[in-house]
Amino acid sequence: MSVSALKWQGWLVGLVTLAGLLVFAPLALYVWASGGGPSGAAAPRAALEDVRVTGCRIDPASRRVVAAVEAAGRPEGPGAYVVTVEFRDSAQARPGGRTARSLVRIPGVAPAATEHAEALGPVWPPESVPWCGAAEATFTPDAGADGRVTPGAVVAPGAVVAPDTRVTPGAAFTPGTAVTPDAP
């Protein structure tokens, strides 16, 4: 091989490297720059962070486990939580251990409020002490962006509903809740 052939290959490697940088550097810069969201906006938190089990007891009459569940409201508006409560023999899950799950719905949680509910578990043997904990949780907003009640929304008993609230046919309401019609 002669010296001019090596010189030509060196230039070719240099040009290919430069072309690669010109193509991939802007792409890498774009990916890096779009990776973070706006610095002022907080990421939405998981619904499991809003709920906790505050008590775990065995009902003396039925021998069933009862877990007291608490849900804190979210700043983005009212809504309902569906919490999966897990009942176990111990705090650490172990293979072959007694485990059961129960769902509890906590409707009408206002933004600054804390609501409570009880999850009913299985019949528990008297010789063991149960452990109760929140395994999963989901949050469903009740009202739309304009604050009006939407289909599928549940109004808690005793809740105050404004006179101009529009109720869409098929909307679900808890028994005992009065909804006033639109003002003329």
Side-chain angles (χ1 to χ4, degrees):
M1 254 212 247
S2 68
V3 176
S4 65
L6 289 174
K7 197 179 210 181
W8 178 79
Q9 288 175 347
W11 276 102
L12 182 63
V13 169
L15 287 175
V16 169
T17 304
L18 181 64
L21 284 174
L22 288 174
V23 170
F24 292 110
L27 179 63
L29 184 62
Y30 172 77
V31 170
W32 175 75
S34 66
S39 59
R45 64 179 186 247
L48 193 56
E49 294 177 21
D50 298 335
V51 299
R52 66 187 185 115
V53 175
T54 58
C56 187
R57 64 180 175 84
I58 297 176
D59 180 48
S62 66
R63 298 290 310 155
R64 294 181 75 146
V65 183
V66 179
V69 182
E70 178 181 277
R74 292 179 160 233
E76 55 261 21
Y81 287 91
V82 176
V83 183
T84 304
V85 179
E86 190 169 73
F87 306 95
R88 295 192 300 235
D89 286 339
S90 65
Q92 280 73 32
R94 54 188 166 101
R98 182 179 172 94
T99 301
R101 288 185 168 200
S102 176
L103 291 175
V104 63
R105 187 165 192 276
I106 308 173
V109 183
T114 301
E115 297 291 335
H116 303 275
E118 287 188 339
L120 189 61
V123 174
W124 206 261
E127 65 274 357
S128 66
V129 177
W131 174 87
C132 306
E136 298 173 13
T138 57
F139 177 77
T140 307
D142 276 350
D146 62 353
R148 299 198 183 269
V149 177
T150 55
V154 176
V155 178
V160 178
V161 180
D164 66 339
T165 301
R166 298 187 188 282
V167 179
T168 308
F173 292 96
T174 305
T177 303
V179 178
T180 57
D182 288 347

